Amino acid sequence: MAHATDDDYPIDPQFIEAAGVGVLENFLARAQATVARPNRQDTPVDAVAINEALLAVPLQLKVVLKSGMTVHRKYLGLPLKLVYVNLGYELGGLHENTSFVVLDPGVAWRLPILLGLKFDPDYHDTYRWPSTTAALRVALEPYTCRSPEELSSAVFG
């Protein structure tokens, strides 16, 4: 989930994950869905979203306080959605507003190629943007959710 090492975070690093899960649960509850957490720690699934029709979608959460993004090869081929929770100022993050980016692992892994970056998907295991560039922001816009309804549609759609 979230990893933090800087001392300038407005939220204690040990609470970053809890804040991200809390806002995810809040948004999905407002869209008539619920979130379950697996008991096992040795799984790539951090949460499972369940809607009123009992459709269950495994989620891998990435809680983001600052700008930037990391994608990982290890999620390719897994039947889950990657949910990047961008914590806004109101939740102790450094984004103007809280939002979510919901991606299939294949889409996430292709982002560097789509943006024309030097990237060999067969060689790398991860790719990290240390900051959110204008090009990355534009590429992520179709996957960005700012309301409970948008998040529910992206997760279950």
Side-chain angles (χ1 to χ4, degrees):
M1 281 231 204
H3 302 282
T5 56
D6 292 348
D7 292 330
D8 61 348
Y9 286 125
I11 186 173
D12 189 310
Q14 68 179 332
F15 296 109
I16 294 169
E17 179 181 326
V21 170
V23 72
L24 174 78
E25 289 175 340
N26 178 289
F27 269 60
L28 285 176
R30 290 166 39 204
Q32 312 307 314
T34 189
V35 175
R37 304 275 316 261
N39 290 328
R40 291 178 47 182
Q41 298 297 316
D42 62 343
T43 174
V45 177
D46 293 321
V48 177
I50 306 164
N51 68 10
E52 288 183 303
L54 298 181
L55 175 62
V57 178
L59 307 174
Q60 169 56 226
L61 304 179
K62 302 293 181 193
V63 183
V64 183
L65 287 182
K66 295 182 171 186
S67 67
M69 181 177 178
T70 303
V71 295
H72 303 270
R73 178 205 313 253
K74 66 184 176 182
Y75 301 120
L76 280 176
L78 296 179
L80 55 79
K81 300 262 180 129
L82 301 173
V83 179
Y84 294 85
V85 182
N86 299 306
L87 293 178
Y89 297 132
E90 75 279 10
L91 297 173
L94 297 173
H95 296 271
E96 185 174 335
N97 295 298
T98 296
S99 65
F100 304 84
V101 175
V102 181
L103 298 167
D104 290 320
V107 171
W109 192 242
R110 287 190 303 275
L111 278 172
I113 296 167
L114 295 173
L115 294 172
L117 301 172
K118 186 178 179 183
F119 175 71
D120 181 349
D122 295 325
Y123 176 75
H124 292 93
D125 289 325
T126 61
Y127 190 89
R128 168 129 179 86
W129 287 268
S131 63
T132 307
T133 64
L136 180 59
R137 201 170 9 264
V138 168
L140 294 176
E141 185 57 34
Y143 307 100
T144 301
C145 308
R146 296 177 180 84
S147 72
E149 296 76 21
E150 288 176 348
L151 178 61
S152 180
S153 177
V155 167
F156 297 109

